[in-house]
């Protein structure tokens, strides 16, 4: 009986070790596909003063607008003393900004300020019912939970 329990424990240890090894390569593969996180890491490495988040309202403009710059390009011009980095993506909303902030807190460098826009539309039920607006993979990567990432199915 002792031998059987020992074999089961060794098997479980082996499976857990392989699972962790797989997770390491799995995370590396996902990070290559998550451009916004790579951009954030670049900003943190460059020690930018301000990190600005945004959704599609940041980079869209009306056809008749004479000024085609993004909001953050305008902000950078108005604040030349500060280095500003922008992380924008269509359908980004508050719960994802929270995960980004939690990620930033875990890093060595912390910017002086973080700008989080409030888009009232992101509080509508449409955001809750659209799977593409949930950003589950991105939230998981930002949490850096390697065990959950191992079992994540795209």
């Amino acid at each position: 009986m002792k031998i059987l329990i020992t074999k089961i424990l060794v098997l479980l240890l082996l499976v857990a070790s392989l699972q962790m090894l797989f997770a390491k390569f799995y995370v590396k593969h996902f990070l290559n596909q998550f451009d916004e996180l790579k951009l954030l890491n670049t900003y943190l490495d460059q020690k930018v003063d301000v990190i600005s988040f945004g959704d599609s309202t940041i980079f869209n403009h009306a056809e008749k607008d004479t000024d085609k710059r993004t909001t953050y390009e305008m902000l950078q011009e108005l604040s030349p003393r500060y280095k500003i980095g922008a992380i924008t993506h269509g359908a980004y909303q508050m719960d994802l900004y929270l995960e980004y902030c939690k990620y930033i807190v875990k890093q060595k460098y912390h910017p002086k300020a973080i700008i989080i826009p409030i888009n009232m539309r992101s509080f509508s039920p449409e955001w809750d019912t659209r799977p593409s607006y949930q950003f589950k993979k991105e939230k998981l990567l930002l949490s850096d939970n390697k065990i959950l990432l191992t079992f994540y199915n795209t």
Side-chain angles (χ1 to χ4, degrees):
M1 185 69 165
K2 247 183 180 178
I3 294 173
L4 179 63
I5 292 173
T6 305
K7 286 181 179 181
I8 290 173
L9 288 175
V10 168
L11 179 64
L12 288 175
L13 185 63
L14 180 64
V15 168
S17 299
L18 288 173
Q19 200 76 4
M20 293 301 230
L21 184 65
F22 178 71
K24 182 178 179 180
F25 293 111
Y26 196 65
V27 169
K28 197 179 254 187
H29 170 71
F30 265 137
L31 288 177
N32 290 334
Q33 297 177 11
F34 187 19
D35 294 337
E36 292 78 15
L37 181 55
K38 286 176 19 179
L39 183 59
L40 176 61
N41 286 327
T42 300
Y43 289 149
L44 294 173
D45 288 342
Q46 294 173 351
K47 297 184 178 358
V48 300
D49 300 306
V50 178
I51 300 286
S52 303
F53 293 105
D55 57 18
S56 60
T57 60
I58 301 303
F59 47 83
N60 288 332
H61 51 78
E63 283 183 35
K64 294 183 181 181
D65 279 349
T66 55
D67 191 346
K68 307 285 186 199
R69 295 176 298 162
T70 66
T71 307
Y72 297 119
E73 289 169 340
M74 293 177 197
L75 182 61
Q76 181 65 73
E77 188 175 305
L78 292 170
S79 311
R81 287 183 28 194
Y82 300 102
K83 245 169 122 177
I84 299 173
I87 305 291
T88 61
H89 189 287
Y92 269 13
Q93 72 272 1
M94 294 307 224
D95 61 341
L96 191 57
Y97 299 145
L98 174 62
E99 294 303 323
Y100 271 111
C101 290
K102 287 179 183 177
Y103 179 85
I104 291 170
V105 167
K106 294 179 201 172
Q107 306 310 307
K108 291 178 184 173
Y109 174 75
H110 302 124
K112 290 179 175 78
I114 295 175
I115 298 173
I116 298 175
I118 298 175
N119 179 350
M120 294 307 288
R121 186 176 282 175
S122 71
F123 294 102
S124 77
E126 180 182 7
W127 253 252
D128 297 328
T129 59
R130 283 191 148 179
S132 62
Y133 287 10
Q134 302 308 310
F135 298 100
K136 290 180 182 179
K137 176 179 74 173
E138 289 82 353
K139 290 175 188 173
L140 199 54
L141 283 168
L142 287 165
S143 75
D144 199 31
N145 189 329
K146 290 174 180 53
I147 293 173
L148 286 179
L149 271 170
T150 304
F151 297 103
Y152 180 76
N153 187 8
T154 55

